[in-house]
Amino acid sequence: MASSSSMAATLSWSSSSLFHSFGGNVTESVKLLDKRSALLVFAQKKAKKTRKIILKEDVVDLGKKGQLLEVKAGFYRNFLHPMGKAQIVTPILLKEMKMEDERIEAEKKRVKEEAQQLALIFETVGAFKVKRKGGKGKQIFGSVTAQDLVDIIKAQLQRDVDKKIVSLPEIRETGEYIAELKLHSEVTARVRLNVYAN
């Protein structure tokens, strides 16, 4: 009888130490009851092994450079990290990303404001005069091209404009026309052209 009570004490001590050795998420316990001792069995939930990362370059079927993602730890450890395609997200890295985003936004705002000021200059100048050799009636020889407008702006305002941003209607006779200069994705300047024959 004494041996069974010491055995029960040993079992209950070992089961309680077993209980304390499990630290993580305990989801279920099963108690097997005997007359004098209890045996506890624990099952642990399998932990999700993922890592929060930021991509250093575009990765096909995953994401673009600078994107924050959560990927499996093995994928990061075996592919992304050795190839230098990603790094683990840290608070310092998040702060640097936020500062970079703010700098980019400020630069975009500055470029847009410059485009708006330039558009205001173009629209308040008045009509640009274009001289062409005249033909019958109102017709002119040749046509007025985007390059012609760029040259006139350079001569009158000392501003360099790329001819790719100039949108002109077809001009084959004298009169007044409106040209558009796409200075920014959100800013378009409308410029008047006065075409006359000499």
Side-chain angles (χ1 to χ4, degrees), residues 167-178:
S167 174
L168 276 175
E170 189 173 334
I171 302 174
R172 295 204 175 267
E173 53 186 46
T174 59
E176 192 165 293
Y177 298 91
I178 300 290

mmCIF file with all atom_site columns, all heavy atoms in Angstrom, residues 167-178:
data_model
loop_
_atom_site.group_PDB
_atom_site.id
_atom_site.type_symbol
_atom_site.label_atom_id
_atom_site.label_alt_id
_atom_site.label_comp_id
_atom_site.label_asym_id
_atom_site.label_entity_id
_atom_site.label_seq_id
_atom_site.pdbx_PDB_ins_code
_atom_site.Cartn_x
_atom_site.Cartn_y
_atom_site.Cartn_z
_atom_site.occupancy
_atom_site.B_iso_or_equiv
_atom_site.pdbx_formal_charge
_atom_site.auth_seq_id
_atom_site.auth_comp_id
_atom_site.auth_asym_id
_atom_site.auth_atom_id
_atom_site.pdbx_PDB_model_num
ATOM 1  N N   . SER A 1 167 ? 0.257  68.984 -78.074 1.00 0.00 ? 167 SER A N   1
ATOM 2  C CA  . SER A 1 167 ? -0.837 68.415 -78.863 1.00 0.00 ? 167 SER A CA  1
ATOM 3  C C   . SER A 1 167 ? -1.456 69.543 -79.701 1.00 0.00 ? 167 SER A C   1
ATOM 4  O O   . SER A 1 167 ? -2.016 70.490 -79.148 1.00 0.00 ? 167 SER A O   1
ATOM 5  C CB  . SER A 1 167 ? -1.881 67.809 -77.926 1.00 0.00 ? 167 SER A CB  1
ATOM 6  O OG  . SER A 1 167 ? -2.997 67.385 -78.651 1.00 0.00 ? 167 SER A OG  1
ATOM 7  N N   . LEU A 1 168 ? -1.319 69.407 -81.012 1.00 0.00 ? 168 LEU A N   1
ATOM 8  C CA  . LEU A 1 168 ? -1.805 70.445 -81.934 1.00 0.00 ? 168 LEU A CA  1
ATOM 9  C C   . LEU A 1 168 ? -2.893 69.889 -82.840 1.00 0.00 ? 168 LEU A C   1
ATOM 10 O O   . LEU A 1 168 ? -2.803 68.741 -83.270 1.00 0.00 ? 168 LEU A O   1
ATOM 11 C CB  . LEU A 1 168 ? -0.663 70.891 -82.854 1.00 0.00 ? 168 LEU A CB  1
ATOM 12 C CG  . LEU A 1 168 ? 0.316  71.950 -82.384 1.00 0.00 ? 168 LEU A CG  1
ATOM 13 C CD1 . LEU A 1 168 ? 1.402  72.125 -83.419 1.00 0.00 ? 168 LEU A CD1 1
ATOM 14 C CD2 . LEU A 1 168 ? -0.372 73.256 -82.130 1.00 0.00 ? 168 LEU A CD2 1
ATOM 15 N N   . PRO A 1 169 ? -3.879 70.725 -83.166 1.00 0.00 ? 169 PRO A N   1
ATOM 16 C CA  . PRO A 1 169 ? -4.798 70.309 -84.231 1.00 0.00 ? 169 PRO A CA  1
ATOM 17 C C   . PRO A 1 169 ? -4.081 70.433 -85.576 1.00 0.00 ? 169 PRO A C   1
ATOM 18 O O   . PRO A 1 169 ? -3.014 71.040 -85.653 1.00 0.00 ? 169 PRO A O   1
ATOM 19 C CB  . PRO A 1 169 ? -5.951 71.315 -84.114 1.00 0.00 ? 169 PRO A CB  1
ATOM 20 C CG  . PRO A 1 169 ? -5.322 72.525 -83.501 1.00 0.00 ? 169 PRO A CG  1
ATOM 21 C CD  . PRO A 1 169 ? -4.225 72.030 -82.615 1.00 0.00 ? 169 PRO A CD  1
ATOM 22 N N   . GLU A 1 170 ? -4.635 69.863 -86.604 1.00 0.00 ? 170 GLU A N   1
ATOM 23 C CA  . GLU A 1 170 ? -4.012 69.997 -87.927 1.00 0.00 ? 170 GLU A CA  1
ATOM 24 C C   . GLU A 1 170 ? -4.198 71.430 -88.407 1.00 0.00 ? 170 GLU A C   1
ATOM 25 O O   . GLU A 1 170 ? -5.315 71.938 -88.503 1.00 0.00 ? 170 GLU A O   1
ATOM 26 C CB  . GLU A 1 170 ? -4.641 69.021 -88.923 1.00 0.00 ? 170 GLU A CB  1
ATOM 27 C CG  . GLU A 1 170 ? -3.887 68.968 -90.230 1.00 0.00 ? 170 GLU A CG  1
ATOM 28 C CD  . GLU A 1 170 ? -4.412 67.880 -91.162 1.00 0.00 ? 170 GLU A CD  1
ATOM 29 O OE1 . GLU A 1 170 ? -4.979 66.896 -90.659 1.00 0.00 ? 170 GLU A OE1 1
ATOM 30 O OE2 . GLU A 1 170 ? -4.255 68.044 -92.375 1.00 0.00 ? 170 GLU A OE2 1
ATOM 31 N N   . ILE A 1 171 ? -3.089 72.082 -88.697 1.00 0.00 ? 171 ILE A N   1
ATOM 32 C CA  . ILE A 1 171 ? -3.130 73.494 -89.095 1.00 0.00 ? 171 ILE A CA  1
ATOM 33 C C   . ILE A 1 171 ? -2.620 73.606 -90.531 1.00 0.00 ? 171 ILE A C   1
ATOM 34 O O   . ILE A 1 171 ? -1.434 73.420 -90.792 1.00 0.00 ? 171 ILE A O   1
ATOM 35 C CB  . ILE A 1 171 ? -2.264 74.368 -88.157 1.00 0.00 ? 171 ILE A CB  1
ATOM 36 C CG1 . ILE A 1 171 ? -2.746 74.217 -86.714 1.00 0.00 ? 171 ILE A CG1 1
ATOM 37 C CG2 . ILE A 1 171 ? -2.299 75.821 -88.595 1.00 0.00 ? 171 ILE A CG2 1
ATOM 38 C CD1 . ILE A 1 171 ? -1.882 74.905 -85.691 1.00 0.00 ? 171 ILE A CD1 1
ATOM 39 N N   . ARG A 1 172 ? -3.539 73.930 -91.460 1.00 0.00 ? 172 ARG A N   1
ATOM 40 C CA  . ARG A 1 172 ? -3.164 74.090 -92.868 1.00 0.00 ? 172 ARG A CA  1
ATOM 41 C C   . ARG A 1 172 ? -3.653 75.407 -93.449 1.00 0.00 ? 172 ARG A C   1
ATOM 42 O O   . ARG A 1 172 ? -3.537 75.656 -94.633 1.00 0.00 ? 172 ARG A O   1
ATOM 43 C CB  . ARG A 1 172 ? -3.713 72.919 -93.690 1.00 0.00 ? 172 ARG A CB  1
ATOM 44 C CG  . ARG A 1 172 ? -3.090 71.596 -93.306 1.00 0.00 ? 172 ARG A CG  1
ATOM 45 C CD  . ARG A 1 172 ? -3.173 70.613 -94.435 1.00 0.00 ? 172 ARG A CD  1
ATOM 46 N NE  . ARG A 1 172 ? -2.476 69.389 -94.121 1.00 0.00 ? 172 ARG A NE  1
ATOM 47 C CZ  . ARG A 1 172 ? -1.220 69.146 -94.435 1.00 0.00 ? 172 ARG A CZ  1
ATOM 48 N NH1 . ARG A 1 172 ? -0.515 70.054 -95.043 1.00 0.00 ? 172 ARG A NH1 1
ATOM 49 N NH2 . ARG A 1 172 ? -0.656 68.007 -94.133 1.00 0.00 ? 172 ARG A NH2 1
ATOM 50 N N   . GLU A 1 173 ? -4.256 76.248 -92.589 1.00 0.00 ? 173 GLU A N   1
ATOM 51 C CA  . GLU A 1 173 ? -4.677 77.570 -93.068 1.00 0.00 ? 173 GLU A CA  1
ATOM 52 C C   . GLU A 1 173 ? -4.552 78.594 -91.949 1.00 0.00 ? 173 GLU A C   1
ATOM 53 O O   . GLU A 1 173 ? -4.361 78.225 -90.785 1.00 0.00 ? 173 GLU A O   1
ATOM 54 C CB  . GLU A 1 173 ? -6.106 77.527 -93.619 1.00 0.00 ? 173 GLU A CB  1
ATOM 55 C CG  . GLU A 1 173 ? -7.134 76.946 -92.715 1.00 0.00 ? 173 GLU A CG  1
ATOM 56 C CD  . GLU A 1 173 ? -8.489 76.822 -93.392 1.00 0.00 ? 173 GLU A CD  1
ATOM 57 O OE1 . GLU A 1 173 ? -8.568 76.351 -94.536 1.00 0.00 ? 173 GLU A OE1 1
ATOM 58 O OE2 . GLU A 1 173 ? -9.481 77.219 -92.743 1.00 0.00 ? 173 GLU A OE2 1
ATOM 59 N N   . THR A 1 174 ? -4.637 79.848 -92.307 1.00 0.00 ? 174 THR A N   1
ATOM 60 C CA  . THR A 1 174 ? -4.468 80.921 -91.321 1.00 0.00 ? 174 THR A CA  1
ATOM 61 C C   . THR A 1 174 ? -5.645 80.946 -90.365 1.00 0.00 ? 174 THR A C   1
ATOM 62 O O   . THR A 1 174 ? -6.736 80.453 -90.661 1.00 0.00 ? 174 THR A O   1
ATOM 63 C CB  . THR A 1 174 ? -4.357 82.292 -92.032 1.00 0.00 ? 174 THR A CB  1
ATOM 64 O OG1 . THR A 1 174 ? -5.532 82.515 -92.798 1.00 0.00 ? 174 THR A OG1 1
ATOM 65 C CG2 . THR A 1 174 ? -3.129 82.369 -92.909 1.00 0.00 ? 174 THR A CG2 1
ATOM 66 N N   . GLY A 1 175 ? -5.419 81.526 -89.184 1.00 0.00 ? 175 GLY A N   1
ATOM 67 C CA  . GLY A 1 175 ? -6.476 81.622 -88.180 1.00 0.00 ? 175 GLY A CA  1
ATOM 68 C C   . GLY A 1 175 ? -5.913 81.416 -86.782 1.00 0.00 ? 175 GLY A C   1
ATOM 69 O O   . GLY A 1 175 ? -4.705 81.343 -86.577 1.00 0.00 ? 175 GLY A O   1
ATOM 70 N N   . GLU A 1 176 ? -6.821 81.343 -85.822 1.00 0.00 ? 176 GLU A N   1
ATOM 71 C CA  . GLU A 1 176 ? -6.399 81.138 -84.436 1.00 0.00 ? 176 GLU A CA  1
ATOM 72 C C   . GLU A 1 176 ? -6.723 79.711 -84.020 1.00 0.00 ? 176 GLU A C   1
ATOM 73 O O   . GLU A 1 176 ? -7.821 79.210 -84.278 1.00 0.00 ? 176 GLU A O   1
ATOM 74 C CB  . GLU A 1 176 ? -7.091 82.142 -83.513 1.00 0.00 ? 176 GLU A CB  1
ATOM 75 C CG  . GLU A 1 176 ? -6.474 82.150 -82.134 1.00 0.00 ? 176 GLU A CG  1
ATOM 76 C CD  . GLU A 1 176 ? -6.885 83.354 -81.306 1.00 0.00 ? 176 GLU A CD  1
ATOM 77 O OE1 . GLU A 1 176 ? -6.501 84.481 -81.644 1.00 0.00 ? 176 GLU A OE1 1
ATOM 78 O OE2 . GLU A 1 176 ? -7.599 83.125 -80.307 1.00 0.00 ? 176 GLU A OE2 1
ATOM 79 N N   . TYR A 1 177 ? -5.775 79.075 -83.350 1.00 0.00 ? 177 TYR A N   1
ATOM 80 C CA  . TYR A 1 177 ? -5.903 77.676 -82.931 1.00 0.00 ? 177 TYR A CA  1
ATOM 81 C C   . TYR A 1 177 ? -5.510 77.548 -81.452 1.00 0.00 ? 177 TYR A C   1
ATOM 82 O O   . TYR A 1 177 ? -4.818 78.398 -80.904 1.00 0.00 ? 177 TYR A O   1
ATOM 83 C CB  . TYR A 1 177 ? -4.992 76.773 -83.770 1.00 0.00 ? 177 TYR A CB  1
ATOM 84 C CG  . TYR A 1 177 ? -5.331 76.769 -85.240 1.00 0.00 ? 177 TYR A CG  1
ATOM 85 C CD1 . TYR A 1 177 ? -4.725 77.674 -86.111 1.00 0.00 ? 177 TYR A CD1 1
ATOM 86 C CD2 . TYR A 1 177 ? -6.257 75.877 -85.753 1.00 0.00 ? 177 TYR A CD2 1
ATOM 87 C CE1 . TYR A 1 177 ? -5.042 77.683 -87.462 1.00 0.00 ? 177 TYR A CE1 1
ATOM 88 C CE2 . TYR A 1 177 ? -6.572 75.878 -87.106 1.00 0.00 ? 177 TYR A CE2 1
ATOM 89 C CZ  . TYR A 1 177 ? -5.963 76.774 -87.948 1.00 0.00 ? 177 TYR A CZ  1
ATOM 90 O OH  . TYR A 1 177 ? -6.281 76.773 -89.284 1.00 0.00 ? 177 TYR A OH  1
ATOM 91 N N   . ILE A 1 178 ? -5.966 76.463 -80.863 1.00 0.00 ? 178 ILE A N   1
ATOM 92 C CA  . ILE A 1 178 ? -5.611 76.162 -79.468 1.00 0.00 ? 178 ILE A CA  1
ATOM 93 C C   . ILE A 1 178 ? -4.734 74.908 -79.463 1.00 0.00 ? 178 ILE A C   1
ATOM 94 O O   . ILE A 1 178 ? -5.114 73.870 -80.013 1.00 0.00 ? 178 ILE A O   1
ATOM 95 C CB  . ILE A 1 178 ? -6.861 75.901 -78.598 1.00 0.00 ? 178 ILE A CB  1
ATOM 96 C CG1 . ILE A 1 178 ? -7.800 77.113 -78.581 1.00 0.00 ? 178 ILE A CG1 1
ATOM 97 C CG2 . ILE A 1 178 ? -6.464 75.501 -77.184 1.00 0.00 ? 178 ILE A CG2 1
ATOM 98 C CD1 . ILE A 1 178 ? -7.276 78.302 -77.836 1.00 0.00 ? 178 ILE A CD1 1
#
